[in-house]
Amino acid sequence: MRVLGVNALFHDPAAALVVNGAVVAAAEEERFSRRKHGHRPVPFAAWELPVEAMRWCLETGGLDVSEVDAVAYSFDPGLARPADQLGLHDPWDHLRLTYAQRAPEFIATALPGLDPAVVRFVPHHVAHAASSALAAPAGDWDVLVLDGRGEASSHLAGHYTDGRLEALAGQRLPHSLGLLYEDATEHLGFLRSSDEFKVMALASYGEPRFAEELRRSVHATEDGGFRTHRVDWSALAKARRPDEPWTQDHADLAASLQLQLEEVLLDLVRWLHGRTGGTRLALAGGVALNCVANTRLLAEGPYDDVWVQPAAGDAGTAMGAALHVSALEGVRTRPMPGADLGRGWTDEEVERALQVARVPYERADVADAVAQCLADDGVVAWFQGRAEYGPRALGRRSLLAHPGHQRNLERLNDVKGREQFRPVAPMVRLERAAEVFSRGPIPSPYMLFVHDVQPEWRDRIPAVVHVDGTARVQTVDVRTEPLLAAMLQGFEDRTGLPAVVNTSLNTAGQPIVDSPRDVLELFGSTPVDLLAIGSFVVRRSWWRR
Ligand SMILES: [Fe+2]
């Protein structure tokens, strides 16, 4: 059974291929098109078919279009209602709906030879739910989905048994935790449905002194759902223009929103646990990218295990829809093998790109060369293996630095052209993680939780310690990540530190690099000291050997 999954409607267009229940390939269209999150959601261009990602998925699976058994589209227009009936102000929503209704024809046009009749609509939140519970390690899972919006709702809570979903609760629009967070993101001067994680980072600088006001508008209900009444943000803090500095009021507003989001999430998971008595919870939807909230759910919620799929946002619904359709057809689905489901390049392809760019390169023991450069306080662009599915760089397309120098946070934010209040994260050897970090789960391979940095380590790795003493950790297991583990070991041998700084390999407003050409462009235009690409290294000419 060969199922192509497609997310194309709100943001983060993406495609995924599931063959006989196993995820073979998955990627966001932005990695090909170089437009971050796809088109901006403006009238007449809010939707985007992931044409290049779809074609690449089929090519990777060695499939002709005629061999695809089903295309799973992560939105079911039959469940949608006109925006005004949903209580949303969205004058262009009917165009989006028309586009979704015609999706089979659009997809067949993009993939000549495809029979439009094989396109199947999957309810948006069912696709999210499957993207987590069916991709998680084997077994039965409770599932909680929270995002901005789907067809007519913003939430789904349920339970998976043997690959079948039983839905237990859902919250109809206009109530939406995701849209609420997006509203606040815009009010705080950031880009909505893109920069929500900046609000989470800003929250660490504030006190939740508006929490009581927010609680009146935003709270859980007794039936597993919640209410998000309109919030007068301006009454709490003045709207910030994107070019203005943020004030303490802005940070306090972010902190208050973050706290109230966490409180509602805790109520929702307690309700779900009360219905199922389950021990394992899978999370998906854009809200599940909030790693601060995820950590509180694990620490204070009733579940022993909380699992978050790395492409928890809408991109992940491409994989979820394909897994869902496979399971519906009686195929036993398999857990996702890791986040590295995107494009990869052979050494021959990499070497060809290096020759075309006419940069001096050498074949090297990459782990050792990188460890030495980092120990000498160089900044490294690390391009290895298949690209990550989802927004986090997890050691495939990463920018690395020494964590022992506080100024490296500023240095990396300068390389990337980012705001200075944003933290960078540590990548740590699994065996040493518990010694350095506490509170969050270990292992934590996908950077979707925050951890406390143990007090005795805060001065040793200051670049990765956020203002509140936390860090968003990625643990590296030598059994699944031998190259990364070797690099970390080499760095530890030289410095005594088991962690390095890891941030995504991109510059401001750009998607993470995907191809050798992308990373060579970045290397050519930023103060990166060493590029480690496949079996090769490229050094700045002045960098010591
Ligand atoms: Fe969604």
Side-chain angles (χ1 to χ4, degrees):
M1 176 93 189
R2 294 164 289 237
V3 186
L4 180 67
V6 175
N7 173 58
L9 205 56
F10 294 111
H11 34 74
D12 296 304
L17 181 66
V18 173
V19 177
N20 297 330
V23 185
V24 171
E28 291 93 336
E29 183 73 359
E30 65 165 27
R31 307 296 162 88
F32 299 82
S33 70
R34 314 307 301 155
R35 281 192 302 271
K36 196 169 188 177
H37 302 301
H39 281 315
R40 290 309 303 157
V42 294
F44 304 109
W47 43 81
E48 181 182 359
L49 205 55
V51 175
E52 292 189 69
M54 292 192 304
R55 290 176 184 158
W56 169 79
C57 279
L58 295 181
E59 191 186 310
T60 302
L63 296 182
D64 184 75
V65 168
S66 61
E67 297 173 290
V68 173
D69 297 305
V71 175
Y73 186 83
S74 62
F75 185 91
D76 184 350
L79 300 174
R81 298 282 171 275
D84 53 352
Q85 287 182 26
L86 297 171
L88 298 177
H89 176 70
D90 190 345
W92 304 106
D93 196 54
H94 61 286
L95 288 178
R96 182 188 288 123
L97 193 55
T98 303
Y99 171 79
Q101 287 161 342
R102 301 283 161 80
E105 287 75 25
F106 282 117
I107 294 170
T109 303
L111 300 176
L114 185 89
D115 178 358
V118 304
V119 179
R120 292 162 67 165
F121 295 123
V122 177
H124 186 71
H125 293 107
V126 171
H128 269 308
S131 82
S132 193
L134 294 184
D140 297 339
W141 291 84
D142 287 356
V143 66
L144 182 66
V145 174
L146 287 156
D147 67 358
R149 62 164 296 190
E151 294 87 355
S153 62
S154 69
H155 155 246
L156 183 154
H159 177 74
Y160 270 91
T161 313
D162 291 333
R164 296 282 163 149
L165 171 66
E166 181 192 4
L168 298 170
Q171 179 57 56
R172 287 185 73 79
L173 293 166
H175 303 286
S176 166
L177 291 168
L179 292 180
L180 177 84
Y181 216 92
E182 286 183 17
D183 288 347
T185 301
E186 191 167 29
H187 187 77
L188 291 169
F190 304 116
L191 192 59
R192 72 178 296 142
S193 69
S194 173
D195 288 351
E196 280 65 31
F197 56 96
K198 296 184 186 177
V199 177
M200 188 183 72
L202 189 59
S204 306
Y205 292 84
E207 289 297 325
R209 63 190 171 91
F210 305 123
E212 202 49 53
E213 284 94 328
L214 280 176
R215 194 166 293 131
R216 286 196 284 275
S217 304
V218 183
H219 53 84
T221 50
E222 301 288 302
D223 54 359
F226 52 85
R227 292 289 174 273
T228 55
H229 298 294
R230 220 182 74 75
V231 175
D232 183 1
W233 302 106
S234 293
L236 305 176
K238 194 168 148 287
R240 185 180 80 92
R241 283 203 322 264
D243 55 346
E244 284 177 335
W246 56 268
T247 65
Q248 195 57 45
D249 278 354
H250 295 129
D252 291 348
L253 179 58
S256 307
L257 174 68
Q258 177 67 28
L259 179 70
Q260 196 48 27
L261 173 75
E262 293 166 17
E263 299 289 337
V264 174
L265 290 179
L266 275 166
D267 284 343
L268 294 179
V269 298
R270 287 179 185 131
W271 180 90
L272 179 58
H273 181 261
R275 287 291 302 271
T276 67
T279 58
R280 307 203 298 169
L281 176 68
L283 295 176
V287 177
L289 291 171
N290 191 307
C291 46
V292 176
N294 294 345
T295 299
R296 254 196 99 189
L297 288 187
L298 180 62
E300 296 175 40
Y303 289 93
D304 299 337
D305 194 1
V306 175
W307 194 82
V308 190
Q309 197 262 107
D314 272 4
T317 63
M319 177 177 77
L323 287 169
H324 174 75
V325 166
S326 303
L328 267 188
E329 293 299 322
V331 175
R332 187 151 204 92
T333 57
R334 285 183 253 166
M336 67 191 290
D340 53 334
L341 298 166
R343 273 197 292 184
W345 308 82
T346 65
D347 270 351
E348 290 69 34
E349 289 168 322
V350 167
E351 192 162 20
R352 176 91 192 104
L354 292 168
Q355 287 165 349
V356 168
R358 295 186 188 175
V359 292
Y361 63 91
E362 62 196 81
R363 194 175 279 272
D365 176 343
V366 164
D368 191 66
V370 169
Q372 184 62 50
C373 179
L374 293 173
D376 291 338
D377 203 22
V379 171
V380 173
W382 174 270
F383 184 108
Q384 299 293 336
R386 293 180 68 174
E388 298 89 345
Y389 185 40
R392 305 272 180 260
L394 300 165
R396 297 299 186 278
R397 306 286 185 270
S398 286
L399 200 56
L400 309 176
H402 194 310
H405 307 299
Q406 174 70 46
R407 68 184 182 87
N408 278 348
L409 168 61
E410 198 177 318
R411 200 168 153 210
L412 286 178
N413 280 336
D414 281 345
V415 169
K416 297 178 51 134
R418 307 197 317 176
E419 299 90 341
Q420 287 299 346
F421 67 86
R422 292 182 46 199
V424 289
M427 175 189 276
V428 62
R429 290 205 300 124
L430 178 59
E431 305 90 294
R432 301 288 307 279
E435 192 186 315
V436 187
F437 304 102
S438 61
R439 193 163 63 104
I442 294 172
S444 183
Y446 296 139
M447 280 175 77
L448 286 162
F449 296 87
V450 292
H451 297 67
D452 288 335
V453 182
Q454 301 278 23
E456 63 272 26
W457 279 91
R458 289 184 189 170
D459 290 340
R460 298 189 65 190
I461 50 170
V464 294
V465 185
H466 197 28
V467 63
D468 55 3
T470 64
R472 198 177 59 196
V473 172
Q474 178 194 355
T475 57
V476 174
D477 187 338
V478 67
R479 291 166 299 183
T480 50
E481 301 281 358
L483 185 66
L484 274 180
M487 180 273 292
L488 286 166
Q489 181 70 64
F491 182 73
E492 185 173 356
D493 291 345
R494 289 166 170 91
T495 63
L497 302 176
V500 303
V501 180
N502 166 35
T503 182
S504 56
L505 189 50
N506 60 326
T507 50
Q510 296 293 313
I512 297 178
V513 302
D514 204 71
S515 70
R517 189 190 176 101
D518 299 336
V519 77
L520 282 163
E521 281 181 7
L522 182 143
F523 185 70
S525 60
T526 59
V528 169
D529 300 302
L530 185 95
L531 165 62
I533 179 167
S535 298
F536 308 97
V537 296
V538 183
R539 300 171 194 270
R540 289 267 171 239
S541 56
W542 46 266
W543 189 253
R544 75 198 83 162
R545 284 173 185 253

